[in-house]
């Protein structure tokens, strides 16, 4: 861990090249590289896509940064052909052709362990094994390589346990069997093969597949202990749960679309929809739509996406996304705040997770009440308890032990002025303008900052009578030639503006240890390497809220998360389109999520190198 | 009717393996050419710990020559005294891609990703290694059916680069399995009854059901095989088909099957009840670079996982080897853990302690009173677990010697000193000769001169400055150690039986990871026993 000298990041400029490209391929300032899988269950944590250049006639030229110098009104109409986002929003949509920008994907990704648990829950109603753990507790750790013997053994063992539990429990049993099997008559089990198989494989079974399972039923007496209908049913269920077509999210339709890619069947589209929105298998309505061929047009897909966003399962997904966007999770800075009790006697470590939870509730509230990206940065909403109220300057008596929604005053717009961010991106005994500034610069504005050179962490924080605020100390420390390029121009300024809040998130106007006045003015680079003069946090938030770079960063993060892959230049096209739509006021977050289903990357698939 | 293992559906009379028609892996071809494998295969076992140690307490004072028990007094390794004649301490290896030596992403991420790959890490946010790791290279050559290595760990499962050591391919992590129950379950399909218990015969419905499952799954996979998918996807399908075939063919080493019994499992502590006790079903506190953040329950589960779980994983590793299910095994401990068991009661996590500051900060004053003693406690705990592993292997008879003799069981560290983050003169010890290949009872300086044991305790007594806790010397690229070990367990350069010795491993071996190529090929002759 190259780390920080008591919270001060030492960045270098010469070796690293500190530029303000809105490239969004940032690696996280603490080197979290957490590999935490997005809820839709894909690869390790990915960042936004790199800035590919998509330059079509007369429309948005993106290059490395989103160039808003010109108008977004394009020559093309908004009724463009497949490949461009064409839904909702007001104002013009750039006519960008993303047809060729479909990243090749595996046709047979295995369910992740989290997806496995959800699918079992949704198909069968089973949420825990009889030992008390979730089913995936006994599976091999997620890995994207070939199935191992340990992994295969685990699928078999867990499949057996689930099957036994389901048959033994009448409620669960009814989720598997929609009829009562009778000895000597295969009808019910045959129908179960068709009905449950449809749900388990996320598509209708072929006649050959049905015949294979029928053969299992016919052999029931020899492959079960005593050959009872229940025993045969249990064996049938177990066999479904170890079938490759259950364990893999297959995309195997081989029909070319004429543009070098392959179409998806309606069932494959339904599967993509449900795993994106819920991290699980389709529900009955989605299955019906797929069976009836009603997922053929982008509009039909959009309608389903919008419906699915209303389901509670989508809230979990959105929550997981925002944890990913904010770099929460194992190895992150969130939930770890510790404060010096002599300096901050009112601080209590037990509050830390509550403060982080407030931030997640904030994002959930904004998203599902029709909010926009701007609202994340500007909304006065907070979720307060009687314990956290004093930090906000509120009366504890007005609150309870549970997080309660309220509005804060105009000094606290958006999540960056909430206790979660302020506390966790601070130090034990004082603030850290560098933690806060680096997070804002990299994670929110999407400005790429390279890692510091070796030895940078040995730089001492200077002290002295004239360095009577943390700001002045940090400023002096990062003046050197190796530091100033990244720190003076990019990292420090937003952090200095946030000095209005002390280490525990309380509003401050003087430095507690010296009584020197807090100076929150700074020239902050928001977009395009252009500094903007800021005097208060509220002004900073106003700038961030309308920053094309910040919007693109948010959009790009969604693309990586939703498509379950590391940032890829080919996804830049989709991110650019979504980012452009975000510049229209009134384009809600939910619209953005739904529009993720409208891209070419979602509607077709591309194949990795063949033999 | 001959009693059979539950999953040996097509085992022939007398124990001969049914010839497998499709031999996909190198090892398969070898087995076919060589006939029934030798009774005592050679294995590599890697015991991996994070955050370095107090190197001056780890290294014996003696720097080269014959190693006797007395030479270990005063060092952590003292507890290994009785086994001194089976130890090999190679002094002077350096692992690669230190921060600033070609990449400046993160010292720990680079240390982990490059450790067993000798390749750079990816600049994508997962920071995974860009090449396959040593354990997979070896497993493909020497494992039964070329199966994957057994990579085990304790604590919460993690896919973070900070905890992943094994890579099955470029940027494809192979995270450790941390649930003993999962590992035990796989073995219960393999363990024979050894004459006692409940014999399973060919006529058993379970055998018939097992065959039925294989047939069904194989048919499904064969459908996939007919599709025109990418090479990678076709490989995945073939891989799964191979697994099914292996399940059918059954125990790969009939000579060893006699030892692979439920009785052996019980003898080495792996009973169903003990495994359950060692396998928490609830959440386990995960590692965090910035300090502990679990609940009482998840912290208790973490303690169970580290105490009962470590021991059980070791027992299961022994059983896997006795049953010849795997010849390439690793036990990878997590790095950001607060120790609260076995008499240790810390409030800071290991990584922070290793920095002497108590958190992720580097340099300056020692931030925790008694930090060196705390580090020593953790070092001692790990040494004890390594000793337990080695003694366990040594307690199991195999051929004319012990299981240990047929392994190279190596303690490999992430770093030398955790404060200095240095990678030179890594504290490495190997127990077992891998069937006579490696020297025993010796300390060998593999690099020129005498690499220093290091300055881990130079200062930092109660608030003093940390200073330089590193060491100088000892920069022989670790690739050469890996090459030596590959040869020790029977790998060849071209993967063919009887092929030439391995001379190269990894993408680079220079001081900068940016320059590809192996400039110093070959094994380290001074580690190899003289032929008898």
């Amino acid at each position: 861990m190259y780390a920080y000298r008591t919270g001060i990041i030492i960045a270098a400029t010469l070796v690293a090249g500190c530029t303000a490209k809105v490239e969004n391929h940032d690696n996280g300032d603490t080197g979290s590289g957490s590999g935490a899988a997005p809820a839709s269950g894909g690869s390790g944590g990915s960042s936004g896509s790199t800035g590919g250049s998509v330059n079509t006639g007369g429309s948005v030229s993106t290059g490395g940064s989103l160039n808003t110098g010109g108008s977004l009104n394009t020559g093309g109409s908004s009724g463009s052909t497949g490949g461009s986002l064409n839904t909702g929003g007001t104002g013009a949509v750039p006519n960008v052709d993303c047809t060729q920008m479909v990243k090749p994907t595996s046709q047979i990704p295995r369910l992740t362990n989290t997806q496995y648990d959800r699918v079992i829950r949704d198909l069968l109603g089973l949420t825990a094994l009889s030992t008390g753990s979730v089913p995936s507790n006994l599976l091999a750790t997620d890995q994207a390589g070939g199935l191992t013997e340990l992994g295969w053994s685990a699928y078999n063992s867990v499949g057996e346990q689930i099957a036994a539990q389901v048959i033994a429990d009448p409620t669960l049993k009814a989720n598997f069997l929609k009829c009562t099997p009778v000895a000597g008559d295969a009808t019910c089990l045959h129908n179960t093969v068709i009905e449950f198989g449809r749900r388990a494989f996320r598509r209708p079974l072929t006649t050959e597949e049905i015949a294979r399972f029928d053969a299992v039923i016919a052999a029931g007496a020899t492959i079960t202990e005593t050959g009872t209908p229940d025993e045969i049913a249990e064996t049938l269920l177990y066999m479904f749960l170890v079938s490759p077509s259950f364990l893999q999210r297959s995309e195997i339709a081989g029909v070319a679309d004429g543009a070098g890619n392959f179409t998806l069947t309606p069932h494959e589209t339904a599967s993509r929809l449900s795993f994106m929105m819920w991290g699980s298998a389709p529900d009955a309505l989605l299955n019906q739509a797929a069976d009836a061929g009603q997922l053929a047009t982008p509009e039909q897909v959009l309608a389903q996406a919008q419906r699915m966003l209303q389901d509670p399962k989508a809230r979990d997904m959105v929550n997981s996304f925002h944890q990913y966007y904010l770099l929460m999770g194992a190895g992150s800075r969130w939930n770890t705040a510790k404060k010096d009790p002599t300096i901050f006697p009112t601080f209590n470590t037990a509050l830390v997770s509550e403060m982080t939870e407030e931030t997640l509730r904030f994002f959930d509230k904004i998203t599902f009440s029709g909010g926009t990206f701007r609202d994340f940065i500007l909304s006065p909403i907070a979720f307060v308890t009687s314990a956290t109220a004093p930090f906000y300057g509120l009366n504890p008596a007005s609150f309870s032990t549970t997080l309660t929604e309220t509005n804060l005053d105009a000094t606290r717009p958006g999540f960056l002025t909430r206790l979660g961010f302020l506390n966790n991106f601070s130090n034990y005994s004082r603030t850290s303008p560098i933690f806060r500034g680096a997070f804002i610069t990299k994670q929110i504005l999407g400005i790429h900052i390279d890692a510091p050179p070796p030895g940078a962490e040995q730089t001492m924080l200077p002290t002295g009578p004239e360095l009577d605020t943390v700001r002045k100390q940090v400023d002096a420390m990062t003046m050197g030639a190796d530091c100033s390029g990244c720190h003076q121009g990019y990292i420090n300024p937003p952090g200095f503006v946030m000095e209005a809040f002390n280490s525990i998130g309380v509003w401050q106007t003087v430095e507690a240890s010296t009584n020197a006045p807090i100076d929150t003015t700074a020239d902050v680079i928001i977009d395009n390497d252009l500094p903007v003069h800021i005097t208060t946090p509220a002004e900073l938030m106003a700038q961030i809220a309308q920053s094309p770079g910040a919007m693109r960063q948010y959009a790009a993060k969604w693309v990586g998360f939703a498509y379950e892959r590391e940032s890829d230049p080919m996804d830049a096209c989709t991110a650019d389109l979504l980012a452009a739509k975000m510049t229209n006021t009134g384009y809600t977050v939910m619209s953005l999520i739904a529009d993720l289903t409208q891209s070419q990357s979602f509607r077709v698939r591309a194949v990795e190198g063949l033999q | 009717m001959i009693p059979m293992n539950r999953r040996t559906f097509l085992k022939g009379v007398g124990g001969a393996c049914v010839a497998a028609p499709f031999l996909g892996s190198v090892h398969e071809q070898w087995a076919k050419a060589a006939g029934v494998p030798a009774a005592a295969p050679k294995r590599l076992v890697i015991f991996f710990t994070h955050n370095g140690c107090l190197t001056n307490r780890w290294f014996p004072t003696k720097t080269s020559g014959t190693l006797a028990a007395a030479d270990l007094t005063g060092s952590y390794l003292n507890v290994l005294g009785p086994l001194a004649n089976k130890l090999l301490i190679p002094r002077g290896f350096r692992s690669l891609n230190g921060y600033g030596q070609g990449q400046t992403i993160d010292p720990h991420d680079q240390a982990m990703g490059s450790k067993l790959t000798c390749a750079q890490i990816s600049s994508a946010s997962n920071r995974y290694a860009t090449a396959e790791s040593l354990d997979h290279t070896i497993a493909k050559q020497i494992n039964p059916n070329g199966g994957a290595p057994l990579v085990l760990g304790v604590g919460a499962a993690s896919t973070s680069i900070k905890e992943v050591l094994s890579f099955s391919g470029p940027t494809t992590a192979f995270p450790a399995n941390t649930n003993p129950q999962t590992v035990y379950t796989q073995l219960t399909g393999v363990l024979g009854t050894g004459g006692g218990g409940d014999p399973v015969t060919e006529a058993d419905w379970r055998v018939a059901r097992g065959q039925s499952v294989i047939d069904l799954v194989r048919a499904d996979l064969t459908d996939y095989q007919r599709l025109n998918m990418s090479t990678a996807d076709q490989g995945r399908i073939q891989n799964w088909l191979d697994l099914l075939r292996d399940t059918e063919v059954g125990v790969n080493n009939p000579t060893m099957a006699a030892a692979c019994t439920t009785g052996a499992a019980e003898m080495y502590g792996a009973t169903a009840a003990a495994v359950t006790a060692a396998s928490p079903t609830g959440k386990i506190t995960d590692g965090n670079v910035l300090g502990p953040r679990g609940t009482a329950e998840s912290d208790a589960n973490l303690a169970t996982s580290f105490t009962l779980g470590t021991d059980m994983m070791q027992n299961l590793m022994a059983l896997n080897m006795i049953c010849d299910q795997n010849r390439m095994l690793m036990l990878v401990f997590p790095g950001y853990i607060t120790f609260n068991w076995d008499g240790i009661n810390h409030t800071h996590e290991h990584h922070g302690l290793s920095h002497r500051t108590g958190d992720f900060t580097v340099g300056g004053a020692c931030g925790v009173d008694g930090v060196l003693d705390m580090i020593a406690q953790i070092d001692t705990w790990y040494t004890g677990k390594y000793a337990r592993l080695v003694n366990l292997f040594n307690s199991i008879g195999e051929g004319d010697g012990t299981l240990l003799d047929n392994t190279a069981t190596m303690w490999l560290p992430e770093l030398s000193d955790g404060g200095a983050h240095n990678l030179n003169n890594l504290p490495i010890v190997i127990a077992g000769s891998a069937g006579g290949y490696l020297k025993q009872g010796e300390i060998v300086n593999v690099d020129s001169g005498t690499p220093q044991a290091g300055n881990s305790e130079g200062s930092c007594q109660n608030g003093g400055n940390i200073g330089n806790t590193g060491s100088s010397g000892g920069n022989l690229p670790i690739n050469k150690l890996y090459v030596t070990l590959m040869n020790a367990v029977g790998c060849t350069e071209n993967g063919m039986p009887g092929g030439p010795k391995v001379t190269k491993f990894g993408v680079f071996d220079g001081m900068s990871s940016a320059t590809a190529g192996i400039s110093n090929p070959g094994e380290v002759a001074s580690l190899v026993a003289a032929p008898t």
Side-chain angles (χ1 to χ4, degrees), chain A residues 184-200:
Chain A
D185 179 354
T187 312
C188 171
L189 291 178
H190 169 81
N191 292 340
T192 300
V193 166
I194 296 171
E195 194 280 330
F196 182 74
R198 166 71 184 86
R199 290 186 282 134

Side-chain angles (χ1 to χ4, degrees), chain B residues 436-477:
Chain B
Y437 194 87
L438 299 170
K439 282 182 180 165
Q440 298 280 264
E442 241 183 276
I443 308 178
V444 178
N445 274 322
V446 301
D447 200 11
S448 56
T450 303
Q452 282 186 348
N455 196 35
S456 292
E457 285 184 82
S459 51
C460 199
Q461 307 298 341
N462 294 327
N465 267 328
I466 296 168
N468 177 11
T469 55
S471 63
S472 69
N475 285 296
L476 195 67

Side-chain angles (χ1 to χ4, degrees), chain A residues 88-99:
Chain A
T90 57
V93 175
N95 189 8
V96 181
D97 179 15
C98 290
T99 335

Side-chain angles (χ1 to χ4, degrees), chain B residues 125-146:
Chain B
S125 66
N126 63 23
R127 302 174 178 187
Y128 288 156
T130 55
E132 168 187 280
S133 57
L134 176 71
D135 52 319
H136 287 268
T137 307
I138 289 179
K140 282 181 193 168
Q141 285 206 33
I142 72 169
N143 255 356
N145 308 306

Side-chain angles (χ1 to χ4, degrees), chain B residues 139-177:
Chain B
K140 282 181 193 168
Q141 285 206 33
I142 72 169
N143 255 356
N145 308 306
L150 188 65
V151 179
L152 305 178
V154 297
S158 171
T159 56
S160 163
I161 181 59
K162 290 192 170 6
E163 307 292 12
V164 170
L165 197 61
S166 176
F167 293 86
S168 58
T171 67
T172 308
F174 194 77
N177 288 283

Side-chain angles (χ1 to χ4, degrees), chain B residues 13-269:
Chain B
V13 173
C17 291
V18 175
F22 306 110
L23 301 182
S25 78
V26 164
H27 182 84
E28 298 285 77
Q29 293 157 22
W30 184 357
K32 193 179 189 187
V36 174
K42 307 199 229 174
R43 302 85 155 183
L44 176 61
V45 180
I46 298 180
F47 175 97
F48 179 86
T49 56
H50 282 256
N51 305 321
C53 64
L54 300 180
T55 55
N56 60 307
R57 296 199 201 182
W58 191 97
F59 282 106
T61 319
K62 187 173 198 177
T63 59
S64 79
T66 312
L67 182 64
D71 298 317
L72 296 176
T73 31
S75 84
Y76 290 143
L77 303 183
N78 184 41
V79 68
L80 290 164
L83 281 173
N85 64 326
K86 295 195 175 185
L87 301 180
L88 174 63
I89 300 179
R91 293 174 98 264
F93 280 115
R94 173 183 63 86
S95 63
L96 308 181
N97 200 19
Y99 188 74
Q101 294 172 349
Q103 292 189 294
T104 51
I105 296 177
D106 179 272
H108 288 279
D109 299 353
Q110 288 172 223
M112 291 302 287
S114 301
K115 179 68 64 178
L116 291 182
T117 61
C118 301
Q120 286 197 325
I121 65 174
S122 167
S123 56
S125 66
N126 63 23
R127 302 174 178 187
Y128 288 156
T130 55
E132 168 187 280
S133 57
L134 176 71
D135 52 319
H136 287 268
T137 307
I138 289 179
K140 282 181 193 168
Q141 285 206 33
I142 72 169
N143 255 356
N145 308 306
L150 188 65
V151 179
L152 305 178
V154 297
S158 171
T159 56
S160 163
I161 181 59
K162 290 192 170 6
E163 307 292 12
V164 170
L165 197 61
S166 176
F167 293 86
S168 58
T171 67
T172 308
F174 194 77
N177 288 283
T178 54
N179 194 339
Q181 190 72 251
T182 307
V183 182
Y184 175 70
T185 300
Q186 185 195 8
L187 270 179
T188 57
V190 167
L191 296 165
T193 55
D198 161 31
V200 175
T201 67
E202 245 173 16
D204 196 291
W205 64 268
R206 296 186 200 93
V207 175
R209 186 183 76 161
Q211 187 61 59
S212 191
V213 170
I214 290 182
D215 289 343
L216 187 87
V217 173
R218 173 177 287 136
D220 196 351
L221 290 169
T222 307
D223 286 346
Y224 280 101
Q225 223 177 14
R226 293 196 195 98
L227 303 169
N228 188 19
M229 299 192 290
S230 69
T231 312
D233 277 346
Q234 287 171 11
R236 292 184 180 101
I237 296 297
Q238 185 59 51
N239 179 82
W240 199 332
L241 283 166
D242 289 346
L243 280 183
L244 297 183
R245 174 179 43 81
D246 298 345
T247 309
E248 261 182 336
V249 170
V251 174
N252 301 287
N253 193 331
T255 312
M256 300 184 63
C260 176
T261 62
T262 50
E266 285 179 24
M267 181 171 5
Y268 299 114

Side-chain angles (χ1 to χ4, degrees), chain A residues 1-7 26-28 30-36 45-47 105-108 131-133 137-150 152-154 156-157 160 201 209 212-213 216 222-225 235 238-239 242-245 247-248 250 252 329-336 338 435 451-454 457-458 566 607-611, chain B residues 6-7 99-100 104-109 123-128 148 150 157-162 168 172-179 181-183 185-186 205 208-209 212-213 216-217 219-221 223-224 227-234 236-237 239-240 243-244 246-247 280-282 286-293 325 347-348 351 355 360-365 421:
Chain A
M1 178 59 78
Y2 69 83
Y4 320 108
R5 177 72 186 104
T6 54
D26 165 65
N27 293 322
T30 59
S32 60
S34 66
S46 59
S47 54
T105 48
S106 168
Q107 292 176 251
I108 47 169
T131 53
S133 76
N137 172 262
L138 291 177
L139 295 179
T141 312
D142 278 332
Q143 54 95 14
L147 186 61
T148 63
E149 208 175 304
L150 184 69
W152 177 233
S153 150
N156 274 276
S157 168
E160 284 179 305
F201 284 11
E209 287 171 332
R212 281 180 215 145
F213 281 100
V216 168
T222 58
I223 60 172
T224 59
E225 193 162 5
T235 297
Y238 157 55
M239 293 208 183
V242 296
S243 289
S245 292
L247 293 170
Q248 293 174 161
S250 314
I252 55 180
S332 82
R333 197 175 296 285
W334 294 85
N335 269 3
T336 58
K338 278 192 265 207
F435 282 171
E457 67 269 17
Q458 308 300 337
E566 286 293 324
V607 179
E608 299 164 315
L610 299 175
Q611 299 263 35
Chain B
R6 178 145 61 106
R7 291 191 184 168
Y99 188 74
T104 51
I105 296 177
D106 179 272
H108 288 279
D109 299 353
S123 56
S125 66
N126 63 23
R127 302 174 178 187
Y128 288 156
L150 188 65
S158 171
T159 56
S160 163
I161 181 59
K162 290 192 170 6
S168 58
T172 308
F174 194 77
N177 288 283
T178 54
N179 194 339
Q181 190 72 251
T182 307
V183 182
T185 300
Q186 185 195 8
W205 64 268
R209 186 183 76 161
S212 191
V213 170
L216 187 87
V217 173
D220 196 351
L221 290 169
D223 286 346
Y224 280 101
L227 303 169
N228 188 19
M229 299 192 290
S230 69
T231 312
D233 277 346
Q234 287 171 11
R236 292 184 180 101
I237 296 297
N239 179 82
W240 199 332
L243 280 183
L244 297 183
D246 298 345
T247 309
T281 55
D286 46 31
N288 192 295
V289 302
L290 295 169
R293 30 177 218 116
Q325 293 301 295
T347 52
H348 296 82
H351 168 257
H355 277 286
F360 48 83
T361 56
V362 173
H421 272 159

